[in-house]
Amino acid sequence: MLSRVADAVFWTARYMERTDNILRMLRTNYIASQDEILEFDWRPWVKQYGPPDDKSQIEIVSYRDVINYLILSRQHDASVFSFIVRARENARSVQDFITKELWQCLNDYYHLIRSPHTEQLLLNDDPLTAMDSLLRESTIYYGTVDTTMGRGEGYTFINLGKFVERSLQSLDLLSMKLETLPKGASEASHWKYLLYSLSGYEFHGKYYKNSLHTHDVIHQLLFNPQFPHSVLYSLIQTERYFKRLGPISLPDHFKEIEFAVGKAVNDLKYSLVDCKDVDNLQELFKTSRQQVLTIGQKLATLYFGYS
Amino acid sequence: MNLSNFLEDYNSNPTVWDEMCLKGDIRQHYQLFFDYFQRSSGEEIEKKDELAKKLFMSQGITFTVYSSGEGIEKIFPFDLIPRIITGSEWEHIEAGIKQRLKALNIFLRDVYHDQFIIKDGIVPAALINSCPNFLREMVGVEVPFGIYTHIAGIDLIRDSDGSFYVLEDNLRTPSGVSYMLENRNMTYRLFPGLMPKNGVRSVKDYPDLLLKNLLSLANSQKSEPTVVLLTPGIFNSAYFEHTTLARLMGIELVEGRDLVVDNAKVFMKTTAGLKQVDVIYRRVDDEFLDPLVFNSESILGVSGLYHAYRKGNVAIVNAMGNGVADDKAIYTFVPQMIKYYLNEEPILKTVPTYSMDDPEHFNHVFKDVDKMVIKQTNGSGGYGMLMGHSATETQVVEYKSEVIKNPRQFIAQPIISLSSVPCYINGKIQPRRVDLRPFALYGPQGIEIVPGGLTRVALREGSLVVNSSQGGGSKDTWVLM
């Protein structure tokens, strides 16, 4: 397939994955913030999901400001609005390649985030209703990719984008949580909310058969091979999809990335770091993150390099 | 609101050919549709109108207007009442277009090779040489099967007596065919069951016919030729059409930056390295196709493409240099071409055309300017023309001074009234003026025209300008059995 098209579908998938992650986090945090006696601290979240180079940190007076900034803002590139616009622009440039259903689904998503009704709900009425309908579009997107796209190269690049992005999101989230969590009584409830956002709370109970321990949550998010948001799961999927490119690739290009992906998977899988050892964990996050970024860069030069 | 008596409010102009009404009666081929409408309530029709808008929006059949960095989606205005053409009218149109296209294609081959038509004094050499779209680079170039005009969109209008006139021959990169297809998809959702009942002929074969022709242009030694559609990119107003056609034909949609020429062969950049391209259906104008030969600032084209084309290593559709045949000053000579090349009488009429570099014509036109339309010979989109009957005196004076500067670039024609059809506007059925653009495909096996086309409608009351850039819309076109 055309390099430009591969690039566009890869990034469509990345933007959609980011959108899904942010919305899930915001949704649960919003519920948490309504349920809390003390003022909920939104700053780490704004720092985490806001634009990295935005020095003019917004003034947060209420949760509405956060919602406006992270979901609706047209002023910076890291809002849900910008992601959806980008995902759709990418999809538009490859409209002939993706299925009509997929295009219409992204187009509907775009019209939903732009609708005055959504804005009204988010800023003045019940934000949960708006976030739920946005997340429903996101779920429709995953389903549409799955049921309509042919299992060729395009599908492979969409999945590569999805899992590369997901592993980065999970790594960053864990790292941020470990840095900013208040120690003490409320710790468990914070981890609980995090698991809620990733639909991992029930899974936790079934898998770990224990009351909630921080190190178990870290294990779930980092190493659990059955949890779809764990870093290891995402990397294993990245490897699985990448291998499908073998028969159609230039051998040298394929080998180079196959090595990078394999190393990232195995370095994590056979890591000796203890989930209770917070300092060494941060080191592991950093290495893993760098490895995933390298995979992205290598894909950009060896498979998407068309200019 | 009740539509049962809408005919009373339907004030068609008696000096204009109305497609539905004849002296207050309904023409037979509109009868079934008319009955359907009479049985419908105003609310039902209003709902259908809203549904159409919603469908266009959700399917992304839109064009984007960029303002303050954020795109705004607009839909092309669509009128839900189809324009209906009878089987015998279509037979006439079809025969006329085939004849015309055959002659124009021979003309292109002639003008870029032996130039018999000039030597025999039919078309003046000066006219050809002064035409900015005559490409000297194409002289002596052999094109596959001698076909230049693979895809043509011939614009037809109807005068007050109902006879069809050719208004323009679009032989370069005519657009609008995706609207022919999408408007049809819309109609069967709006009026379930109505099309089979009326015996409407299908247009859905268009992409298959086009693909068949494109494939047949590839080098016959190749078992699986690669065909691509070259688009200027997502900012082009016809981008939606490019993606639709690429998808319907299952071919790659490429931009200039996806292609590269090596050793006079064209390749596209894929995830598995370079892959050779055999046929390019281009929607990029001649001028921008190859920065080495034409406009050196173009980033829409591919360096070296012209050379690959000359060598016969890639087929380009439509051929380069077609602009010389659809120039509005050459238009006058098409009836002579038909007689000269085919020894036949023209089937379709041509609008009398005055070339402004003839002083006699010039004076005649400006004496009767209120009955005239003056156009640029290579203009399009309804821009840069003067409609005499609605222009102010200052506009006429200003336009006249432009014409004097470069008279060869202007022609004038008497204003043809254009036929009217019923349209649903602001909750009422009102007559509006239309033209018709059928799309003809010229392949090695001959010329094929799908029964239908794009009906463009001037939505402003009294307006004769149908271009979408000038407040025009479109509607579905039914050709009956």
Side-chain angles (χ1 to χ4, degrees):
Chain A
M1 68 190 286
L2 284 174
S3 297
R4 177 178 55 81
V5 174
D7 194 15
V9 295
F10 178 79
W11 275 99
T12 301
R14 287 194 66 168
Y15 283 126
M16 291 311 289
E17 185 63 29
R18 254 183 229 182
T19 304
D20 188 68
N21 268 270
I22 295 193
L23 283 172
R24 283 162 165 274
M25 287 302 149
L26 284 175
R27 182 182 181 278
T28 325
N29 281 316
Y30 167 74
I31 297 173
S33 76
Q34 301 299 303
D35 203 20
E36 210 159 341
I37 307 163
L38 293 171
E39 196 57 39
F40 187 88
D41 187 6
W42 282 102
R43 281 169 309 175
W45 296 97
V46 171
K47 197 167 160 241
Q48 172 76 7
Y49 290 123
D53 51 350
D54 190 5
K55 299 281 182 288
S56 63
Q57 284 295 325
I58 55 147
E59 197 188 336
I60 305 163
V61 180
S62 76
Y63 61 90
R64 300 274 188 197
D65 300 327
V66 179
I67 287 174
N68 190 18
Y69 188 68
L70 292 181
I71 300 185
L72 290 173
S73 176
R74 276 111 153 123
Q75 313 308 325
H76 63 87
D77 288 343
S79 65
V80 167
F81 179 86
S82 303
F83 292 154
I84 295 174
V85 169
R86 295 267 179 88
R88 176 178 174 274
E89 283 286 282
N90 270 306
R92 200 159 97 87
S93 70
V94 295
Q95 223 187 95
D96 61 302
F97 180 82
I98 58 176
T99 55
K100 198 166 182 172
E101 290 87 345
L102 181 52
W103 160 245
Q104 283 185 20
C105 150
L106 288 165
N107 195 42
D108 285 344
Y109 208 166
Y110 169 80
H111 287 301
L112 180 67
I113 188 96
R114 282 171 56 105
S115 88
H117 182 60
T118 304
E119 189 171 323
Q120 168 70 16
L121 284 172
L122 285 171
L123 299 182
N124 299 309
D125 295 338
D126 171 33
L128 214 52
T129 310
M131 290 194 228
D132 282 343
S133 51
L134 288 168
L135 276 167
R136 198 175 310 124
E137 285 296 331
S138 176
T139 309
I140 293 172
Y141 158 79
Y142 288 115
T144 310
V145 169
D146 208 47
T147 44
T148 66
M149 286 291 293
R151 263 42 179 176
E153 253 185 281
Y155 184 72
T156 303
F157 281 110
I158 289 181
N159 278 294
L160 283 175
K162 169 163 118 184
F163 288 113
V164 162
E165 185 63 35
R166 189 177 290 177
S167 56
L168 287 173
Q169 290 287 336
S170 295
L171 279 169
D172 289 351
L173 192 64
L174 257 181
S175 166
M176 182 269 260
K177 269 281 167 190
L178 283 175
E179 266 178 11
T180 60
L181 252 194
K183 298 283 173 254
S186 66
E187 194 179 338
S189 77
H190 276 274
W191 287 115
K192 200 164 111 182
Y193 279 127
L194 180 65
L195 289 180
Y196 272 139
S197 334
L198 298 172
S199 314
Y201 183 68
E202 284 161 26
F203 175 91
H204 190 88
K206 285 177 199 148
Y207 192 90
Y208 295 95
K209 300 189 171 50
N210 213 332
S211 60
L212 205 71
H213 294 301
T214 305
H215 60 91
D216 281 341
V217 179
I218 294 175
H219 180 270
Q220 181 181 345
L221 258 64
L222 205 51
F223 296 118
N224 195 315
Q226 295 177 17
F227 181 56
H229 278 271
S230 85
V231 181
L232 186 59
Y233 175 85
S234 307
L235 287 177
I236 289 173
Q237 293 301 318
T238 306
E239 187 178 37
R240 171 175 162 237
Y241 281 106
F242 183 73
K243 284 197 164 151
R244 290 192 182 177
L245 293 176
I248 57 102
S249 299
L250 297 175
D252 289 353
H253 291 183
F254 180 73
K255 259 189 221 154
E256 196 174 326
I257 298 181
E258 190 195 26
F259 179 82
V261 178
K263 189 157 181 351
V265 173
N266 288 308
D267 280 357
L268 184 67
K269 194 171 175 184
Y270 300 114
S271 149
L272 294 171
V273 177
D274 186 344
C275 287
K276 289 174 182 161
D277 181 359
V278 174
D279 289 339
N280 277 323
L281 275 174
Q282 288 290 7
E283 201 49 44
L284 177 66
F285 296 157
K286 231 167 103 184
T287 322
S288 239
R289 188 171 204 283
Q290 193 47 52
Q291 287 176 326
V292 178
L293 289 179
T294 308
I295 295 170
Q297 282 155 3
K298 282 186 188 296
L299 279 171
T301 41
L302 301 177
Y303 283 79
F304 310 149
Y306 54 89
S307 49
Chain B
M1 193 188 83
N2 195 343
L3 289 174
S4 58
N5 53 357
F6 75 81
L7 202 59
E8 286 164 25
D9 299 332
Y10 186 80
N11 296 317
S12 59
N13 184 335
T15 63
V16 169
W17 179 270
D18 190 82
E19 307 269 351
M20 180 177 77
C21 291
L22 176 66
K23 292 180 192 141
D25 291 330
I26 301 295
R27 290 181 200 274
Q28 202 204 339
H29 60 287
Y30 264 92
Q31 194 63 51
L32 274 172
F33 192 81
F34 178 77
D35 293 344
Y36 174 89
F37 243 76
Q38 272 194 321
R39 284 195 308 272
S40 311
S41 72
E43 288 78 35
E44 275 173 70
I45 302 299
E46 189 57 40
K47 261 192 209 144
K48 286 182 194 294
D49 202 36
E50 274 165 30
L51 174 66
K53 288 201 177 80
K54 221 160 86 192
L55 286 172
F56 273 114
M57 200 50 119
S58 80
Q59 294 182 9
I61 309 176
T62 51
F63 63 102
T64 314
V65 179
Y66 288 88
S67 65
S68 64
E70 192 192 323
I72 297 169
E73 299 300 308
K74 300 221 164 172
I75 51 175
F76 285 108
F78 166 77
D79 183 75
L80 52 87
I81 305 179
R83 182 248 189 98
I84 306 177
I85 293 170
T86 65
S88 61
E89 280 170 345
W90 180 254
E91 238 173 72
H92 174 74
I93 292 173
E94 196 179 19
I97 290 179
K98 282 184 176 173
Q99 178 195 51
R100 196 169 170 95
L101 206 53
K102 220 190 257 172
L104 283 165
N105 196 65
I106 303 175
F107 168 71
L108 278 163
R109 193 183 153 67
D110 187 19
V111 88
Y112 286 123
H113 290 84
D114 303 306
Q115 301 200 328
F116 292 124
I117 198 161
I118 296 176
K119 288 168 192 159
D120 286 339
I122 313 283
V123 175
L127 197 63
I128 303 290
N129 291 330
S130 63
C131 176
N133 294 314
F134 175 73
L135 288 190
R136 277 152 191 83
E137 290 83 357
M138 281 302 290
V139 173
V141 176
E142 286 298 330
V143 300
F145 302 95
I147 301 171
Y148 289 80
T149 55
H150 309 87
I151 301 144
I154 309 289
D155 289 347
L156 302 173
I157 53 174
R158 279 184 111 165
D159 199 6
S160 50
D161 64 353
S163 54
F164 285 96
Y165 283 80
V166 175
L167 189 64
E168 264 174 40
D169 305 290
N170 296 291
L171 307 177
R172 286 174 269 181
T173 53
S175 63
V177 76
S178 60
Y179 292 96
M180 169 181 91
L181 301 170
E182 292 297 341
N183 288 354
R184 179 58 57 86
N185 289 340
M186 203 56 67
T187 322
Y188 74 69
R189 293 195 64 169
L190 296 177
F191 305 108
L194 208 55
M195 284 196 296
K197 216 166 144 189
N198 275 278
V200 180
R201 294 174 67 185
S202 167
V203 292
K204 67 174 189 299
D205 289 341
Y206 182 86
D208 299 337
L209 290 174
L210 178 55
L211 182 62
K212 181 190 78 185
N213 282 353
L214 292 172
L215 285 170
S216 64
L217 295 174
N219 187 331
S220 54
Q221 313 276 313
K222 267 241 166 121
S223 61
E224 280 180 38
T226 301
V227 181
V228 300
L229 195 160
L230 176 63
T231 171
I234 64 166
F235 297 107
N236 188 276
S237 60
Y239 181 71
F240 169 74
E241 172 149 316
H242 307 161
T243 62
T244 305
L245 288 175
R247 174 169 39 217
L248 290 173
M249 291 190 284
I251 63 176
E252 302 274 7
L253 180 69
V254 302
E255 295 176 19
R257 59 190 169 135
D258 295 322
L259 299 180
V260 63
V261 175
D262 183 36
N263 198 17
K265 290 189 178 106
V266 183
F267 296 90
M268 60 180 179
K269 300 168 192 168
T270 77
T271 50
L274 297 179
K275 186 175 182 203
Q276 196 180 339
V277 170
D278 305 292
V279 181
I280 301 177
Y281 171 27
R282 51 79 177 232
R283 295 295 296 259
V284 172
D285 292 342
D286 284 354
E287 199 192 339
F288 300 104
L289 268 184
D290 184 347
L292 293 182
V293 184
F294 307 111
N295 185 341
S296 60
E297 283 175 4
S298 168
I299 51 167
L300 303 177
V302 190
S303 298
L305 184 59
Y306 168 74
H307 192 56
Y309 182 48
R310 270 208 83 134
K311 281 216 147 192
N313 288 339
V314 66
I316 292 181
V317 171
N318 286 347
M320 295 186 197
N322 281 5
V324 66
D326 64 11
D327 183 287
K328 291 188 179 77
I330 303 285
Y331 165 90
T332 329
F333 292 93
V334 178
Q336 281 105 299
M337 284 178 205
I338 293 173
K339 280 177 212 145
Y340 178 72
Y341 291 126
L342 308 176
N343 196 21
E344 291 173 12
E345 284 302 314
I347 298 170
L348 292 169
K349 291 185 184 173
T350 311
V351 184
T353 302
Y354 306 103
S355 53
M356 301 304 282
D357 54 357
D358 180 330
E360 212 172 292
H361 284 178
F362 181 91
N363 291 333
H364 170 69
V365 166
F366 277 99
K367 206 175 86 206
D368 278 338
V369 76
D370 57 324
K371 293 192 195 86
M372 296 286 176
V373 48
I374 312 179
K375 302 176 185 174
Q376 285 172 350
T377 49
N378 55 357
S380 66
Y383 290 110
M385 58 188 224
L386 181 89
M387 302 288 286
H389 68 300
S390 60
T392 63
E393 214 164 297
T394 18
Q395 278 171 331
V396 173
V397 172
E398 276 168 20
Y399 204 88
K400 192 171 178 179
S401 68
E402 285 301 308
V403 177
I404 291 169
K405 275 185 214 157
N406 196 351
R408 163 64 179 85
Q409 304 307 334
F410 293 88
I411 52 105
Q413 291 170 336
I415 294 173
I416 301 272
S417 66
L418 267 65
S419 57
S420 64
V421 298
C423 291
Y424 182 74
I425 296 169
N426 300 330
K428 272 198 223 145
I429 314 282
Q430 303 179 33
R432 289 290 185 272
R433 308 299 186 77
V434 288
D435 76 350
L436 173 67
R437 177 182 289 182
F439 295 90
L441 296 171
Y442 200 154
Q445 275 101 45
I447 302 171
E448 286 161 295
I449 310 173
V450 287
L454 179 69
T455 292
R456 298 186 298 173
V457 39
L459 292 170
R460 276 197 288 262
E461 195 168 0
S463 170
L464 294 173
V465 186
V466 294
N467 305 77
S468 59
S469 49
Q470 314 271 310
S474 74
K475 48 169 63 212
D476 191 16
T477 310
W478 289 5
V479 174
L480 306 185
M481 298 290 271

